[in-house]
Amino acid sequence: EVQLVQSGGGLVQPGRSLRLSCTASGFTLDDCVIHWVRQAPGKGLEWVLNFNWKRGTLDSVDSVKGRFTISRDNSRKSMYLQMNRLRPEDTALYYCARGSSSNYFDMDVWGQGTTVTVSS
Amino acid sequence: SYELTQPPSVSVSPGQTASITCSGDKLGPRYVSWYQQKPGQSPVLVIYQDTNRPSQIPERFSGSKSGNTATLTIRGTQAMDEADYYCQTWDSNSACVFGTGTKVTVL
């Protein structure tokens, strides 16, 4: 079954770091673009960033530039969203999602989401 | 920054047609996708590239676009279609943009 399983998240103080993971099943990350999308409590969807494994390129929203980065493990099944210098406004439910093969901005598989709370 | 505007809410009676609009500057040349999100669940892609429907999505869902406005139409709306719906495209900087979201209520 093609799916994305997420883990990580939790409560963290402002200015600290947190790492979220996103593990693929039924496909490998080499073949696709992975997006991270967040949803603040009671709010709409906000795209955070995407990473294209083939091109090695990362695009992100301005508010996370220089703070959020991507890495992956050698199995090519898991990727990690490293979030540094976290702010209260980063508090949200974070989803990873796969960009489809026909148009990578179409997100055809989503993880279950993981919650990040930034508070002192 | 690029913005997509949707009506906050749409109400529809069971079996009737619900239409959700999504407007944005120079939206015409850009592909638009639509996502359904039910409470406590992850979003689901229901329309991609303006008019295409993933195989697992019911035929009652359709998409269209005219000028700078895209529309998601749900024909024969069912109670299970009650959800939040988001349109999505990308801007000139290759940044993904989601619409403001529309809550569909089936009365």
Side-chain angles (χ1 to χ4, degrees):
Chain A
E1 179 186 4
V2 172
Q3 61 178 347
L4 291 167
V5 178
Q6 298 182 232
S7 62
L11 174 63
V12 62
Q13 293 179 329
R16 304 299 291 265
S17 299
L18 200 62
R19 190 177 81 162
L20 308 183
S21 70
C22 176
T23 300
S25 176
F27 67 100
T28 60
L29 298 176
D30 281 359
D31 301 330
C32 57
V33 172
I34 295 292
H35 300 267
W36 287 86
V37 175
R38 66 187 179 185
Q39 188 168 34
K43 302 296 184 182
L45 301 175
E46 180 190 23
W47 176 79
V48 177
L49 58 80
N50 67 40
F51 190 79
N52 185 321
W53 295 110
K54 285 184 178 179
R55 299 180 183 178
T57 55
L58 185 148
D59 290 307
S60 66
V61 68
D62 287 345
S63 62
V64 307
K65 277 183 167 56
R67 299 191 299 124
F68 289 13
T69 62
I70 291 291
S71 64
R72 71 176 184 183
D73 68 14
N74 291 331
S75 72
R76 299 175 296 174
K77 288 282 191 178
S78 292
M79 66 177 294
Y80 306 99
L81 175 63
Q82 179 68 40
M83 303 183 294
N84 301 319
R85 303 197 305 278
L86 281 161
R87 305 167 180 169
E89 55 264 36
D90 295 319
T91 294
L93 178 60
Y94 283 73
Y95 296 101
C96 61
R98 185 183 75 172
S100 79
S101 57
S102 58
N103 176 16
Y104 69 82
F105 279 108
D106 295 326
M107 303 174 201
D108 61 356
V109 179
W110 291 69
Q112 82 276 20
T114 187
T115 300
V116 172
T117 303
V118 184
S119 174
S120 55
Chain B
S1 62
Y2 192 78
E3 295 180 353
L4 293 173
T5 301
Q6 300 178 231
S9 62
V10 166
S11 296
V12 60
S13 300
Q16 298 304 301
T17 297
S19 295
I20 306 164
T21 58
C22 171
S23 300
D25 186 42
K26 298 178 184 177
L27 184 60
R30 309 171 198 261
Y31 278 139
V32 174
S33 301
W34 290 90
Y35 298 85
Q36 175 194 68
Q37 186 181 32
K38 296 181 179 179
Q41 298 185 19
S42 302
V44 173
L45 180 68
V46 295
I47 294 291
Y48 63 97
Q49 295 176 25
D50 296 342
T51 60
N52 296 294
R53 188 180 61 251
S55 58
Q56 71 274 23
I57 301 301
E59 291 183 6
R60 62 180 180 274
F61 289 87
S62 64
S64 62
K65 191 168 61 180
S66 177
N68 292 328
T69 299
T71 302
L72 174 69
T73 302
I74 312 173
R75 291 184 170 81
T77 307
Q78 301 182 9
M80 67 173 67
D81 300 329
E82 191 163 279
D84 294 327
Y85 291 84
Y86 297 90
C87 60
Q88 174 238 319
T89 189
W90 65 92
D91 68 14
S92 56
N93 296 316
S94 296
C96 174
V97 179
F98 285 99
T100 50
T102 298
K103 181 177 182 63
V104 170
T105 301
V106 182
L107 299 172

